[in-house]
Amino acid sequence: MESLPWNVWYTAQLPKRAEKPRFRGITVAMDTGIPFSFMQASLQNVHPYIDFWKFAYGSPVFTTPSILQNKISLCHEYHIRPLSSGVLFEYAEMRNESGEFLDALHEAGFDAVEISFRLADAKNSHWVTRIEESKNKNFTVFTELVLPSSPDSVPSYLALIAAHLMAGVDYIQLLAEDHRTSAFTFYKEWQPILEEAFGERIHHLVWPVPDAEELSRLPQLALGNLNMHLVRPQQLMIVESARRRLLGECSAKPKEWMLGNEIDIYAPSQRQEGLKTKLNQGLWMPPEKK
């Protein structure tokens, strides 16, 4: 079957996405124990848009070894980096077996590890050591920080983020303390503060994925470089559509974004000329039947 016409119409001037391996605009998919067949079918379509595949919670423990290995091998086939969950690291740390745990991850084919201390009360020097050990084993290192839903105690949290970055962490996954806070509100409250504090280093931060309606309210410029985690497999197409201006821009904000200007095609004085321009460029409307 030949490529369908809209593959050409819509992709001609869509915002471009960096090729993998990406360091900005990463997507961390979350596997809570989905069947291998579902993962396999999903990745056939969405693998170009996924950077890390996180085996969340205790899913690696309750997945049979053969299926877990098949999932890891599938990630490598599609150039997706398998990421272990922080809770497994924490239990290994509490048993004084974090070194053995990292070795086992490496042998199993994991490329990334989440270092977190939400269960264990560890001193800064302790988790810095664990981060360094992980980096020495060539893991991409994630950590996790829970921030207040509203930025009240800013200085102390900025100091925590700075400490993680100074320790060599690759990505810090951010979470709102109040689970009722929407991802959009959390981002809107914290992003300006963190960007002012860290500048370019803000691209080491990974935000909770907003829902579809919230994604459509984020500026496309931000979406292109926004790192997102907690992305379930069934959300991957929605997230990529938002990154490429195919979510919300056409419906909630009907502008001639494909033509790179701000003509409102629904304004009476501009509608006819705007649609004519679209037809002439062949980017929006299908060709006339002969």
Side-chain angles (χ1 to χ4, degrees):
M1 181 178 181
E2 295 183 4
S3 178
L4 294 169
W6 51 73
N7 290 34
V8 177
W9 307 334
Y10 286 108
T11 57
Q13 292 191 15
L14 288 177
K16 303 299 181 185
R17 287 277 275 139
E19 296 294 326
K20 295 193 291 186
R22 286 181 284 260
F23 303 97
R24 299 182 180 186
I26 68 164
T27 299
V28 183
M30 184 172 71
D31 182 345
T32 57
I34 63 172
F36 176 70
S37 57
F38 180 73
M39 177 184 178
Q40 195 172 32
S42 298
L43 292 191
Q44 287 178 355
N45 275 325
V46 300
H47 68 89
Y49 318 130
I50 309 171
D51 301 278
F52 294 90
W53 188 272
K54 182 176 180 178
F55 292 85
Y57 312 123
S59 62
V61 175
F62 304 112
T63 302
T64 60
S66 60
I67 293 177
L68 180 62
Q69 198 58 59
N70 286 342
K71 286 187 170 186
I72 293 170
S73 297
L74 189 63
C75 287
H76 290 157
E77 179 183 341
Y78 287 120
H79 305 290
I80 298 168
R81 288 170 279 182
L83 166 64
S84 70
S85 72
V87 68
L88 296 183
F89 170 83
E90 292 195 50
Y91 276 113
E93 180 63 26
M94 292 167 67
R95 293 170 57 88
N96 296 316
E97 295 177 351
S98 58
E100 293 86 341
F101 175 72
L102 292 174
D103 289 338
L105 288 181
H106 190 271
E107 185 177 348
F110 280 89
D111 299 318
V113 60
E114 181 183 314
I115 305 293
S116 63
F117 288 98
R118 296 178 69 180
L119 300 180
D121 184 16
K123 296 181 179 179
N124 285 355
S125 59
H126 188 75
W127 59 257
V128 167
T129 300
R130 295 295 174 259
I131 291 168
E132 291 174 349
E133 290 174 354
S134 302
K135 297 292 289 183
N136 289 337
K137 294 180 185 293
N138 295 319
F139 284 106
T140 299
V141 177
F142 283 70
T143 54
E144 184 179 82
L145 277 180
V146 179
L147 303 181
S149 303
S150 180
D152 298 322
S153 306
V154 171
S156 61
Y157 287 99
L158 294 184
L160 270 175
I161 293 173
H164 282 234
L165 293 175
M166 289 178 64
V169 168
D170 295 289
Y171 295 104
I172 304 171
Q173 299 169 113
L174 303 178
L175 293 169
E177 188 175 43
D178 186 346
H179 297 297
R180 295 170 297 180
T181 303
S182 75
F184 176 79
T185 301
F186 180 62
Y187 174 82
K188 188 172 67 172
E189 291 282 347
W190 275 101
Q191 192 275 340
I193 296 169
L194 297 179
E195 185 170 29
E196 182 178 355
F198 297 104
E200 281 295 305
R201 290 184 297 169
I202 197 172
H203 296 297
H204 291 281
L205 307 181
V206 190
W207 300 84
V209 63
D211 63 26
E213 190 276 330
E214 292 175 331
L215 280 168
S216 70
R217 293 161 59 191
L218 287 170
Q220 195 282 325
L221 184 62
L223 279 168
N225 289 322
L226 187 64
N227 300 327
M228 287 182 267
H229 70 118
L230 302 177
V231 183
R232 297 183 180 275
Q234 59 267 35
Q235 293 177 288
L236 287 161
M237 280 296 189
I238 297 172
V239 169
E240 192 62 23
S241 294
R243 291 191 189 278
R244 305 292 297 279
R245 288 185 177 177
L246 288 174
L247 178 72
E249 287 286 350
C250 323
S251 53
K253 307 171 200 172
K255 302 288 185 181
E256 268 197 305
W257 50 268
M258 271 204 164
L259 305 182
N261 56 52
E262 290 298 313
I263 295 176
D264 186 345
I265 64 170
Y266 289 95
S269 61
Q270 298 173 345
R271 178 176 174 82
Q272 186 173 0
E273 187 62 33
L275 292 178
K276 186 188 298 182
T277 305
K278 284 180 183 289
L279 283 166
N280 291 341
Q281 295 204 12
L283 295 176
W284 186 271
M285 299 296 184
E288 294 182 6
K289 294 182 179 180
K290 295 181 180 180

